[in-house]
């Protein structure tokens, strides 16, 4: 079987992803620097005023989730374009709105002292305890609304194009095959995954927009209030789902490229389709696991939060990661840096799922909730999962489209990145095990050693990421202009 | 205890995952026909599914026996403690308790969301719940050791979030 690493889409689309990817990369690096600064502060290695800490924490959380989603949207767009016609103007619009939103958020935080964290839990934006006023809150919430609207428009366009091509989202999620009405394979994995992302994110973003609007009104009209428990439910229905969807956008690059690298197909058979339907449903309804410590929630919802979070681990553990292992096993793959990142992303996703599942257990959540255990698990799967997908995509682009050749330093930084990120998230988990709360500007002396270790590993993550970024940016301008590398990554066909 | 267990399970599982991924990586070189791998792979996948599913089922069954919000009201009469969080501190109705007391903390907030985290004198969390405006969450804890316990804030609530602190003395 002959395969090609090239993706058959027009060069306009190829060019369109360059700017948002460069921008995401630069912001990721900047946010990593902020991450290290927070750790240096918590570890008492520098003097960091708590007000500054919380501002940095707010921008780090917002920025990281925002730009990884932006990079994820590049992945969806690039590969989905092969199967359905998409309007590039909408993609551009999202990038512009993102820039506007980011500017508002930055001004809100750094000029007007907003530091309500990226979850802006109602009624904190309106009741800062004296740290920020109306303007800061309005700029931040307004900026988030602009960013959310951009993503909403983008995904509505993707959903529109998918429905036009496949008839309905049920068809593109493979219901005919699951129900046995049609034989054979379902739509391409990319279409299935994009459908899932469209469904969960459109719902999450509309929820988020409603919540943001109500919070905004509350800032200016304090007599307009929302039920705090409802607001909390909406916050996590939006934040949890949106943050989670990033890895489901990113996994598309794995579905598309690993089969090309190995010369083995990744088809949407029945189990695959069932897994994605499970993910769609569970991603939408597991958010109550953030509310396990809200005992006023109905008991059945709290228990379902635990059960569903467990089940939500099944699709990746049993289907996606397992499928990747099968495709790679004795495939004769000729590894390059891009494919290594893709393989790494499967590893990162799996290894990050376990501490998450553990924390979703009510009795454990009782002593782990809002400790550093939580950032520990999501740094693992965001850093080694989602970021590895984004980096794999970047390395693929500059290799196939930009004329970059892998060198020894690329591999060295790749390995360092893995070790450093494991060390960073491992020290967060360790802090969580030692009961250190998350989101604390200053730690008790007992918790400081783990912060120092984390700062050390964080610095390495930052340096390696800088090197990846330099490699990407130096070749990125060639992308889409037909400087094609020959397709010599095909696996050997003998044996 | 739960903290230690989580840490150990995570470490063990991580080692397992690393071994699997490294093994497949080392065996990625020589190409064989995918059909054979699929037959074997799908079989292993079924076994793996059954294993994961059973572990999850067992874990669900055992961990749901000990829910922190189901205070055994019937077993013992709890000592009620009202806790009200405000930016940036906690008001408590009672701050000295005795070993053997079965405390019911009724937790609420006057302004924004806070968290109620009860730490023992080793700085280990022993119980927590959310402190929410307009709602009261009740969490139960049986004091078995004397010492100074500290309530700390577990939900980000603004610039002095990490300074919210209230001590509770537990005497013999
Ligand atoms: C060099 C790499 C990084 C370092 C050193 C770092 C450091 C940190 C630190 C110290 C915190 C605050 C922990 C606390 O609550 O005490 C944090 C929170 C967070 N980080 Fe990172 N991080 C890094 C990379 C990432 C990446 C790659 C992502 C996602 C793509 C990410 C997303 C977040 C989010 C969402 C939060 C939560 C913010 C909040 O609690 O409001 N971080 N990070
Ligand atoms: Cu607080």
């Amino acid at each position: 079987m002959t395969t090609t690493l090239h993706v058959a889409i027009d060069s306009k689309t190829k060019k369109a992803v360059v700017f948002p990817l460069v921008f995401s990369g630069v912001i990721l690096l900047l946010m990593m620097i902020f991450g290290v600064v927070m750790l240096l502060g918590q570890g008492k290695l520098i003097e960091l005023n708590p007000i500054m800490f919380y501002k940095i924490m707010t921008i780090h959380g917002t920025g990281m989730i925002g730009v990884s989603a932006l990079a994820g949207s590049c992945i969806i767009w690039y590969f989905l374009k092969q199967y359905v016609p998409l309007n590039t103007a909408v993609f551009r619009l999202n990038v512009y709105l993102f820039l506007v939103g980011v500017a508002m958020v930055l001004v809100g935080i750094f000029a007007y002292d907003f530091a309500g964290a990226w979850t802006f839990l109602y009624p904190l934006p309106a009741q800062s305890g004296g740290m920020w006023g109306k303007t800061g809150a309005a700029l931040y919430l307004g900026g988030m609304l602009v960013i959310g609207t951009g993503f909403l428009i983008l995904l509505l366009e993707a959903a529109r194009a998918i429905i036009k091509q496949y008839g309905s989202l049920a068809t593109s999620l493979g219901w005919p095959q699951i129900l046995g009405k049609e034989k054979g394979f379902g739509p391409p994995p990319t279409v299935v995954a994009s459908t899932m992302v469209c469904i969960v994110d459109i719902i999450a973003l509309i929820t988020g927009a409603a919540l943001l609007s109500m919070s905004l009104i509350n800032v200016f009209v304090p007599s307009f209030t929302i039920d705090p428990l409802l607001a909390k439910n909406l916050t996590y229905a939006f934040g949890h789902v949106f943050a989670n969807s990033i890895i489901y956008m990113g996994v598309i690059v794995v579905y598309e490229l690993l089969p090309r690298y190995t010369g083995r197909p990744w088809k949407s058979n029945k189990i695959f389709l069932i897994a994605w339907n499970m993910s769609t449903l569970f991603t939408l309804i597991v958010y109550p696991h953030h509310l396990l410590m809200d005992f006023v929630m109905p008991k059945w919802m709290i228990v379902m939060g635990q059960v569903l979070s467990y089940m939500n681990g099944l699709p990746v553990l049993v289907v996606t990661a397992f499928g990747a292992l099968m495709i790679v096993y004795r495939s004769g793959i000729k590894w390059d840096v891009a494919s290594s990142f893709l393989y790494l992303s499967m590893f990162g996703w799996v290894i990050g799922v376990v501490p998450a599942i553990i924390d979703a257990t009510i009795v454990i959540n009782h002593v782990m909730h809002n400790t550093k255990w939580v950032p520990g698990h999501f740094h693992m799967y965001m850093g080694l999962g989602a970021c590895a997908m984004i980096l794999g995509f970047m390395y693929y682009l500059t290799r196939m489209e930009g004329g970059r050749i892998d060198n020894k330093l690329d591999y060295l930084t790749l390995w360092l990145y893995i070790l450093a990120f494991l060390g960073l998230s491992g020290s967060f988990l360790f802090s969580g095990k030692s009961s250190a709360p998350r989101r604390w500007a200053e730690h008790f002396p007992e918790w400081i050693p783990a912060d120092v270790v984390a700062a050390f590993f964080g610095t390495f993550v930052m340096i390696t990421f800088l090197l990846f970024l330099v490699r990407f940016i130096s070749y990125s301008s060639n992308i889409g202009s037909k400087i094609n590398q020959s397709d010599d990554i095909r696996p050997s066909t003998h044996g | 205890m739960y903290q230690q267990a989580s840490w150990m399970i995570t470490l063990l599982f991580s080692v397992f995952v690393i071994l699997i991924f490294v093994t497949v990586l080392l065996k990625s070189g020589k190409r064989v026909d995918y059909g054979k791998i699929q037959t074997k792979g799908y079989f292993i996948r079924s076994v793996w599914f059954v294993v994961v599913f059973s572990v999850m089922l067992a874990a669900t069954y055992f961990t749901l026996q000990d829910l922190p919000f189901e205070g055994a009201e019937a077993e013992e009469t709890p000592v009620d403690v009202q806790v009200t969080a405000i930016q940036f501190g906690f008001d408590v109705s009672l701050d000295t308790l005795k070993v053997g007391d079965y405390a019911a903390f009724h937790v609420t907030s006057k302004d924004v969301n806070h968290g109620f985290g009860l730490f023992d004198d080793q700085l280990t969390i022993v119980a927590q719940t959310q402190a929410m405006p307009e709602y009261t969450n009740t969490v139960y804890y049986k004091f078995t050791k004397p010492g100074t316990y500290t309530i700390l804030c577990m939900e980000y609530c603004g610039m002095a979030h990490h300074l919210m602190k209230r001590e509770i003395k537990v005497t013999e």
Side-chain angles (χ1 to χ4, degrees):
Chain A
M1 181 160 102
T2 48
T3 47
T4 167
L5 271 176
H6 289 284
V7 171
I9 53 168
D10 55 306
S11 58
K12 201 174 102 190
T13 308
K14 289 185 176 171
K15 280 209 173 84
V17 301
V18 175
F19 172 74
L21 280 177
V22 170
F23 180 74
S24 300
V26 172
I27 300 291
L28 274 169
L29 178 67
L30 198 68
M31 295 302 129
M32 284 181 174
I33 298 174
F34 281 151
V36 174
V37 171
M38 279 191 278
L39 291 170
L40 293 174
Q42 287 176 330
K44 298 264 187 308
L45 295 166
I46 57 169
E47 193 70 49
L48 185 65
N49 164 337
I51 292 188
M52 196 42 145
F53 178 95
Y54 291 125
K55 288 198 216 178
I56 291 181
M57 182 187 87
T58 304
I59 191 62
H60 178 86
T62 316
M64 283 295 192
I65 299 291
V67 291
S68 338
L70 185 67
S73 75
C74 296
I75 293 178
I76 283 211
W77 208 257
Y78 196 90
F79 293 107
L80 187 60
K81 187 88 193 219
Q82 298 172 94
Y83 311 104
V84 301
L86 295 165
N87 186 345
T88 310
V90 174
F91 181 79
R92 295 228 165 83
L93 177 66
N94 181 40
V95 178
Y96 294 137
L97 287 177
F98 192 87
L99 293 176
V100 173
V102 166
M104 289 169 71
V105 163
L106 283 173
V107 176
I109 294 176
F110 289 107
Y112 291 93
D113 292 335
F114 180 81
W118 85 277
T119 43
F120 52 87
L121 198 55
Y122 173 87
L124 185 56
Q127 300 185 34
S128 71
M131 182 171 168
W132 63 86
K134 291 188 167 86
T135 318
L139 278 167
Y140 182 87
L141 298 173
M144 291 290 269
L145 201 54
V146 172
I147 294 175
T149 308
F151 278 108
L152 184 59
I153 296 172
L154 180 96
L155 291 167
L156 284 172
E157 160 67 8
R160 180 206 58 79
I162 291 174
I163 291 173
K164 189 143 182 258
Q165 189 92 353
Y166 290 88
S168 74
L169 294 179
T171 320
S172 58
L173 265 184
W175 285 20
Q177 285 76 16
I178 293 177
L179 299 175
K181 291 208 182 108
E182 269 175 46
K183 293 257 164 305
F185 298 114
T190 297
V191 173
V192 177
S194 305
T195 306
M196 179 270 191
V197 171
C198 286
I199 295 175
V200 301
D201 271 352
I202 289 173
I203 295 174
L205 289 164
I206 291 175
T207 312
L211 175 67
L212 282 161
S213 314
M214 291 193 287
S215 293
L216 262 171
I217 300 177
N218 175 254
V219 167
F220 292 102
V221 189
S223 59
F224 173 91
T225 57
I226 332 170
D227 181 280
L229 189 62
L230 172 70
K232 207 182 241 186
N233 273 276
L234 295 178
T235 300
Y236 290 108
F238 155 68
H240 168 88
V241 174
F242 188 69
N244 252 269
S245 72
I246 295 169
I247 207 154
Y248 294 98
M249 303 183 191
V251 72
I252 289 173
V253 66
V254 181
Y255 286 148
E256 286 285 340
L257 295 184
L258 267 193
R260 288 178 160 93
Y261 275 104
T262 54
R264 288 174 171 177
W266 200 329
K267 290 271 172 59
S268 39
N269 57 28
K270 214 165 172 170
I271 301 277
F272 177 95
L273 294 169
I274 291 175
W276 273 90
N277 278 273
M278 277 173 69
S279 295
T280 311
L281 183 66
F282 292 164
T283 303
L284 280 175
I285 60 180
V286 297
Y287 80 86
H289 71 203
H290 288 273
L291 306 170
L292 295 182
M293 288 303 110
D294 286 281
F295 302 153
V296 285
M297 291 283 286
K299 181 182 163 187
W300 66 268
M301 268 185 94
I302 296 190
V303 172
M304 286 310 277
Q306 165 167 344
V307 173
L308 292 171
S309 304
Y310 280 26
M311 306 262 282
N312 199 24
L314 289 174
V316 56
L317 288 177
V318 179
V319 182
T320 302
F322 198 91
L325 288 171
M326 263 172 59
I327 272 202
V328 165
Y329 185 72
R330 295 211 183 287
S331 62
I333 183 174
K334 280 191 195 161
W335 291 103
D336 68 356
V337 179
S339 52
S340 309
F341 267 120
L342 301 182
Y343 188 66
L344 167 67
S345 73
M346 292 289 110
F347 167 77
W349 194 352
V350 171
I351 205 169
V353 155
V354 173
I357 288 185
I358 291 179
D359 187 44
T361 311
I362 298 166
V363 288
I364 292 179
N365 195 266
H366 188 219
V367 292
M368 296 289 228
H369 178 70
N370 278 353
T371 64
K372 260 194 149 170
W373 186 269
V374 181
H377 95 71
F378 70 69
H379 278 84
M380 215 169 224
Y381 94 36
M382 291 306 283
L384 294 173
C387 285
M389 292 163 182
I390 296 166
L391 286 164
F393 183 48
M394 290 174 162
Y395 265 82
Y396 160 80
L397 285 178
T398 48
R399 181 185 169 151
M400 292 312 297
E401 306 281 337
R404 182 189 54 78
I405 298 169
D406 288 341
N407 63 27
K408 285 224 174 67
L409 187 65
D410 287 325
Y411 282 102
L412 183 70
T413 41
L414 167 65
W415 279 102
L416 261 178
Y417 178 81
I418 300 176
L419 294 179
F421 230 117
L422 280 175
L424 175 70
S425 24
S427 12
F428 282 11
L429 289 175
F430 184 85
S431 298
K433 172 205 163 235
S434 326
S435 295
R438 69 183 287 198
R439 296 175 163 168
W440 267 41
E442 282 168 3
H443 280 174
F444 291 139
E446 288 83 345
W447 300 325
I448 287 180
D451 300 326
V452 175
V453 172
F456 170 82
F457 285 118
T459 309
F460 272 96
V461 171
M462 194 180 85
I463 294 170
T464 49
F465 194 87
L466 170 69
L467 294 172
F468 299 145
L469 192 61
V470 168
R471 292 286 279 163
F472 178 69
I473 293 180
S474 9
Y475 292 89
S476 61
S477 58
N478 297 338
I479 294 168
S481 48
K482 296 224 169 54
I483 303 188
N484 286 337
Q485 191 61 15
S486 69
D487 240 341
D488 62 348
I489 316 177
R490 238 173 292 153
S492 47
T493 37
H494 59 79
Chain B
M1 180 262 244
Y2 281 122
Q3 283 100 329
Q4 194 64 29
S6 311
W7 176 248
M8 291 316 290
I9 296 171
T10 303
L11 282 187
L12 281 177
F13 184 85
S14 303
V15 170
F16 172 72
V17 175
I18 291 174
L19 284 179
I20 300 275
F21 274 81
V22 168
T23 309
V24 171
L25 180 64
L26 293 175
K27 296 208 169 181
S28 61
K30 214 173 102 242
R31 186 174 179 84
V32 301
D33 180 42
Y34 194 34
K36 277 186 226 143
I37 290 180
Q38 276 176 311
T39 323
K40 215 167 112 189
Y42 287 147
F43 173 72
I44 298 177
R45 185 170 74 180
S46 313
V47 176
W48 171 233
F49 172 75
V50 172
V51 170
V52 175
F53 196 76
S54 319
V55 170
M56 285 180 174
L57 214 61
T60 309
Y61 177 77
F62 286 111
T63 59
L64 288 184
Q65 310 284 318
D66 183 23
L67 296 180
F69 46 89
E70 289 197 315
E73 293 257 7
E75 277 172 34
E76 266 173 88
T77 349
V79 181
D80 291 305
V81 186
Q82 307 293 333
V83 182
T84 309
I86 68 166
Q87 279 164 331
F88 295 98
F90 294 97
D91 263 344
V92 293
S93 62
L94 194 70
D95 61 4
T96 30
L97 288 147
K98 284 211 183 59
V99 170
D101 275 354
Y102 187 68
F105 293 97
H106 306 289
V107 183
T108 188
S109 162
K110 272 229 172 78
D111 39 42
V112 298
N113 286 278
H114 299 274
F116 164 94
L118 185 64
F119 287 67
D120 68 11
D121 52 10
Q122 304 297 307
L123 267 188
T124 303
I125 306 185
V126 293
Q128 77 164 304
T129 190
Q130 294 288 112
M132 286 195 67
E134 296 175 37
Y135 286 87
T136 301
N137 286 304
T138 299
V139 63
Y140 299 86
Y141 186 71
K142 186 170 175 91
F143 288 95
T144 52
K145 274 182 283 178
T148 306
Y149 290 71
T150 315
I151 303 171
L152 298 173
C153 186
M154 302 296 291
E155 188 67 72
Y156 176 63
C157 57
M159 61 185 168
H161 163 53
H162 57 286
L163 299 176
M164 287 180 63
K165 221 173 274 180
R166 187 71 162 86
E167 288 186 351
I168 291 192
K169 291 251 176 338
V170 176
T171 53
E172 290 283 0

